[in-house]
Amino acid sequence: AQTVTQSQPEMSVQEAETVTLSCTYDTSESDYYLFWYKQPPSRQMILVIRQEAYKQQNATENRFSVNFQKAAKSFSLKISDSQLGDAAMYFCACLLAGGTSYGKLTFGQGTILTVHP
Amino acid sequence: NAGVTQTPKFRILKIGQSMTLQCTQDMNHNYMYWYRQDPGMGLKLIYYSVGAGITDKGEVPNGYNVSRSTTEDFPLRLELAAPSQTSVYFCASSYGMYLAFFGQGTRLTVV
């Protein structure tokens, strides 16, 4: 079974500082994609960053970057120069690209990020 | 281009009633999903579909049914509503292995 685990229910960071959100996943498939989504109080789901499992290079998107450790099945999100607008719930997700469950997109439990001015 | 449209936005059901949550996307996406999100919790996959005529169970399918007769529509059916189905429901769609577009959510309360 495919599982995604976020072990940090809540995190906080000072404005302009750096914070790292943790995520581990488990799948027997070798072909998959990993995502981080942001959900502000509006409930809208916003894609933050995407990583292809076959790529060794860590994805970056402006102030957001990931540390993808395939062997450890770890996919953490680093937010640099944190801004007040980064405050939200963050979800890690895994999308299977092969096997009998291809197309299955599973989310973690979420991490609430608070940014202090 | 409307994206993913969910209706209704809010609904109150009595125990034992039935209803269908509608989801339509106009992006010709092949993958569609239904999730539920309980307060302060993550998204749990109910059902998903990788194309018209194909549906599969997710993590929490009990009490729900889906169909995918067209590429655009992926309705979610609740047959006998129970208080445990009180939640916010999200529909999402994607084209292949890229970005999933989400609807605005449906807040359902079963009393």
Side-chain angles (χ1 to χ4, degrees):
Chain A
Q2 173 191 10
T3 60
V4 179
T5 303
Q6 294 177 248
S7 59
Q8 305 157 316
E10 298 182 29
M11 291 286 285
S12 64
V13 63
Q14 291 293 132
E15 197 175 6
E17 296 296 309
T18 296
V19 64
T20 298
L21 308 183
S22 301
C23 173
T24 58
Y25 61 94
D26 191 17
T27 177
S28 56
E29 298 297 332
S30 59
D31 195 7
Y32 54 88
Y33 294 74
L34 298 166
F35 304 85
W36 278 97
Y37 279 87
K38 170 184 176 182
Q39 186 182 44
S42 66
R43 291 202 320 236
Q44 182 185 7
M45 294 290 286
I46 302 166
L47 176 69
V48 175
I49 200 163
R50 172 181 181 262
Q51 173 79 44
E52 296 92 335
Y54 62 85
K55 286 189 177 179
Q56 292 185 342
Q57 186 174 5
N58 290 324
T60 61
E61 194 71 40
N62 299 318
R63 298 181 295 107
F64 299 90
S65 61
V66 299
N67 183 3
F68 175 45
Q69 301 290 326
K70 190 170 184 178
K73 294 186 177 177
S74 170
F75 183 60
S76 60
L77 174 70
K78 185 171 83 170
I79 306 174
S80 304
D81 186 25
S82 297
Q83 301 176 358
L84 295 177
D86 294 334
M89 180 170 267
Y90 286 80
F91 293 102
C92 177
C94 178
L95 173 62
L96 297 183
T100 57
S101 297
Y102 84 92
K104 187 176 184 180
L105 177 61
T106 303
F107 284 80
Q109 306 91 322
T111 297
I112 298 172
L113 178 65
T114 303
V115 181
H116 298 289
Chain B
N1 191 343
V4 179
T5 302
Q6 285 182 240
T7 56
K9 288 186 171 54
F10 303 93
R11 183 71 185 268
I12 297 175
L13 273 183
K14 292 185 178 179
I15 295 172
Q17 286 186 322
S18 300
M19 77 163 295
T20 299
L21 280 66
Q22 301 291 345
C23 177
T24 299
Q25 53 92 8
D26 61 358
M27 297 171 283
N28 201 33
H29 285 172
N30 49 351
Y31 295 178
M32 294 189 76
Y33 306 87
W34 273 108
Y35 294 91
R36 59 176 289 173
Q37 184 179 27
D38 298 330
M41 302 296 286
L43 280 74
K44 293 186 178 178
L45 181 62
I46 306 172
Y47 273 95
Y48 68 107
S49 169
V50 297
I54 306 169
T55 61
D56 279 293
K57 295 179 180 179
E59 304 162 88
V60 290
N62 291 344
Y64 306 95
N65 276 300
V66 294
S67 60
R68 184 94 183 271
S69 56
T70 66
T71 299
E72 295 78 19
D73 300 308
F74 191 40
L76 178 70
R77 179 81 177 163
L78 283 72
E79 290 294 347
L80 293 171
S84 61
Q85 294 177 306
T86 294
S87 190
V88 178
Y89 292 83
F90 286 97
C91 179
S93 73
S94 70
Y95 187 79
M97 301 295 162
Y98 198 66
L99 165 66
F101 289 81
F102 284 81
Q104 292 299 303
T106 296
R107 184 179 294 276
L108 175 67
T109 302
V110 181
V111 296

